[in-house]
Amino acid sequence: MSDEESSHRTNLFRRRRENTPAGSKKRRDLWVTVEEEAALVARAEREKVTVPNLLLSAALSAQNDSPTERRAVMAELMQLHNLLARSSNNINQIARHANATGEIPAETGEALKHLRSVAMRIDQAIDGLM
């Protein structure tokens, strides 16, 4: 195995970040609760990195959403959940009426159209998460 391959292999298993040529210029202290510390340590061990490395990579990652963005997505998903529940209730009432009378109510088409639009909104919300 060449020196380059062995150094690359050891880098994959490093817990610490590599030193920068100019050295670290700023220090940040972070106060956490005992529960938060336990969760951070557990996650860092699962990821095989140090806690500071875990925090830094999570904070600087382009894939992570901010807490505000996550709250907005959760609010949208809750709204869609409630809308789907109401739409499902309407479809069940229409089905109950159709089964009892043998007639399909006139508003069935509109209810199904609404249900399709809710399904499309859910698909769009899911696509927005990826």
Side-chain angles (χ1 to χ4, degrees):
M1 183 177 344
S2 71
D3 289 337
E4 184 178 313
E5 287 177 7
S6 64
S7 70
H8 179 67
R9 181 179 294 250
T10 57
N11 286 342
L12 292 176
F13 298 106
R14 285 180 61 112
R15 290 178 50 88
R16 277 185 75 231
R17 294 187 314 155
E18 288 191 29
N19 293 335
T20 59
S24 299
K25 299 296 181 193
K26 295 285 183 182
R27 177 187 170 124
R28 301 286 181 214
D29 291 324
L30 177 69
W31 291 91
V32 295
T33 64
V34 173
E35 295 84 12
E36 291 168 337
E37 174 67 12
L40 285 170
V41 169
R43 176 132 184 224
E45 286 176 1
R46 276 195 314 271
E47 307 259 343
K48 295 183 175 41
V49 295
T50 62
V51 172
N53 192 353
L54 174 75
L55 293 172
L56 189 61
S57 63
L60 298 179
S61 173
Q63 295 176 338
N64 291 341
D65 299 330
S66 71
T68 304
E69 291 169 332
R70 282 194 298 272
R71 278 192 293 274
V73 168
M74 290 300 293
E76 174 71 14
L77 289 174
M78 288 302 296
Q79 181 184 20
L80 288 171
H81 178 269
N82 292 334
L83 190 57
L84 184 60
R86 288 193 305 270
S87 299
S88 298
N89 188 35
N90 289 345
I91 296 297
N92 284 336
Q93 290 174 357
I94 290 170
R96 191 175 309 130
H97 180 269
N99 287 333
T101 64
E103 300 174 357
I104 297 177
E107 61 270 3
T108 302
E110 190 62 35
L112 291 173
K113 181 179 174 184
H114 177 71
L115 190 58
R116 282 188 203 98
S117 72
V118 171
M120 287 177 22
R121 283 184 62 193
I122 291 170
D123 288 344
Q124 290 169 353
I126 291 170
D127 289 342
L129 292 175
M130 295 179 185

